[in-house]
């Protein structure tokens, strides 16, 4: 499973890259605003220089012509840019056109298997089912990943499942079990993946036992 960081924060991306396990980045307009980005183009370029892997950059336009035009500009920034397009009728139409042009896309705001199927038929590179937001309204985000996996495998769609709106480590593991190709997560969740209290207790005990041993052999 590939790990993407769901952020526009350059420091977080640098730290995650340093772990040696980061495969890409996803952003959205909310995350760009949160990071205080004033020049999106140069910001996307910086992200692409830090991480070697796909970087999702979302269009702001919502009509077909403008989305295709914006997508071309975004795709021109760097070969690793994947253009994020919303799951609306004009978005699906734009994905179909961009796919013909060889521009890679990530269809965002996926909340149903029907939406994922439409995006895959249009030739999306990725679909992004939003787990956390589904769970928030009492639905089952992981069940959606399983449904999409089954459908894509039934028909041999190459569209990759990018589990998004991840809120905690259990979402990452359940997405992996359900066969998602990628999980995109906030930096906090990536850090939480390392944690287990028994690891901390175990390490502390190993070191203290060894210190005691050294003291006893040197005294
Ligand atoms: C996906 O690419 C989105 O950027 C993101 O995962 C949305 O997550 P949220 O529901 O925490 O805003």
């Amino acid at each position: 499973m590939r790990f993407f960081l769901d952020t526009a924060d350059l420091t977080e991306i640098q730290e995650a890259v340093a772990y040696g396990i980061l495969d890409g980045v996803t952003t959205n307009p909310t995350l760009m605003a949160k990071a205080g980005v004033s020049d999106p183009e140069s910001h996307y370029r910086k992200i692409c220089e830090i991480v070697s892997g796909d970087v999702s950059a979302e269009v702001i336009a919502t009509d077909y012509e403008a989305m295709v035009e914006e997508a071309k500009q975004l795709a021109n920034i760097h070969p690793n840019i994947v253009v994020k397009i919303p799951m609306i009728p004009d978005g699906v139409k734009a994905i179909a056109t961009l796919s013909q042009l060889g521009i890679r896309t990530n269809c965002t705001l996926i909340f149903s298997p029907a939406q994922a199927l439409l995006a895959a038929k249009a030739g999306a590179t990725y679909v992004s089912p939003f787990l956390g937001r589904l769970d928030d309204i009492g639905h089952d985000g992981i069940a959606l990943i399983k449904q999409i996996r089954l459908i894509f495998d039934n028909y041999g769609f190459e569209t990759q499942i990018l589990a998004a709106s991840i809120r905690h480590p259990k979402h990452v593991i359940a997405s992996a079990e359900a066969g998602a190709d990628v999980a995109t997560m906030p930096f906090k969740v990536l850090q939480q993946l390392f944690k287990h209290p028994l690891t901390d207790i175990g390490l502390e005990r190993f070191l203290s036992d060894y210190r005691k041993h050294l003291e006893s052999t040197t005294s």
Side-chain angles (χ1 to χ4, degrees):
M1 174 184 242
R2 280 142 73 217
F3 279 4
F4 287 2
L5 210 59
D6 197 25
T7 187
D9 184 312
L10 299 180
T11 309
E12 289 183 348
I13 296 167
Q14 272 155 348
E15 286 188 39
V17 164
Y19 290 139
I21 43 83
L22 194 68
D23 302 299
V25 166
T26 51
T27 63
N28 64 39
T30 302
L31 294 170
M32 293 289 274
K34 200 172 149 198
V37 177
S38 52
D39 180 351
E41 189 175 323
S42 96
H43 199 77
Y44 289 133
R45 194 167 288 116
K46 280 181 198 156
I47 295 176
C48 292
E49 281 161 9
I50 298 170
V51 66
S52 57
D54 288 347
V55 173
S56 285
E58 188 159 343
V59 295
I60 303 300
T62 53
D63 69 275
Y64 167 75
E65 303 279 357
M67 268 189 279
V68 169
E69 200 42 50
E70 196 180 343
K72 285 180 186 167
Q73 287 166 15
L74 289 168
N76 257 337
I77 295 172
H78 193 279
N80 288 356
I81 290 283
V82 175
V83 183
K84 224 170 167 186
I85 305 273
M87 169 34 76
I88 52 177
D90 271 22
V92 172
K93 198 173 154 188
I95 288 168
T97 300
L98 294 167
S99 163
Q100 294 292 318
L101 295 172
I103 294 176
R104 297 181 307 142
T105 54
N106 171 1
C107 188
T108 189
L109 293 164
I110 296 281
F111 293 97
S112 77
Q115 292 177 325
L117 184 53
L118 283 170
K121 281 182 67 67
T125 313
Y126 296 97
V127 286
S128 288
F130 275 39
L131 307 187
R133 294 193 196 185
L134 275 171
D135 289 1
D136 288 346
I137 59 159
H139 288 230
D140 184 349
I142 295 299
L144 173 60
I145 302 266
K146 290 178 186 164
Q147 281 180 295
I148 299 173
R149 181 74 282 154
L150 177 67
I151 292 166
F152 284 8
D153 289 349
N154 277 350
Y155 294 96
F157 283 115
E158 286 177 11
T159 302
Q160 297 173 63
I161 304 171
L162 198 169
S165 186
I166 280 179
R167 300 274 160 81
H168 44 69
K170 274 177 78 175
H171 270 153
V172 179
I173 300 311
S175 297
E177 287 172 347
D181 299 286
V182 187
T184 189
M185 64 200 86
F187 187 55
K188 191 186 104 197
V189 174
L190 180 65
Q191 288 176 308
Q192 287 173 333
L193 291 179
F194 287 91
K195 294 286 175 195
H196 196 288
L198 290 178
T199 304
D200 297 339
I201 292 166
L203 182 60
E204 203 180 306
R205 192 174 301 160
F206 283 152
L207 296 178
S208 108
D209 287 347
Y210 194 67
R211 266 195 303 271
K212 278 185 216 150
H213 162 71
L214 281 184
E215 280 163 17
S216 69
T217 52
T218 55
S219 60

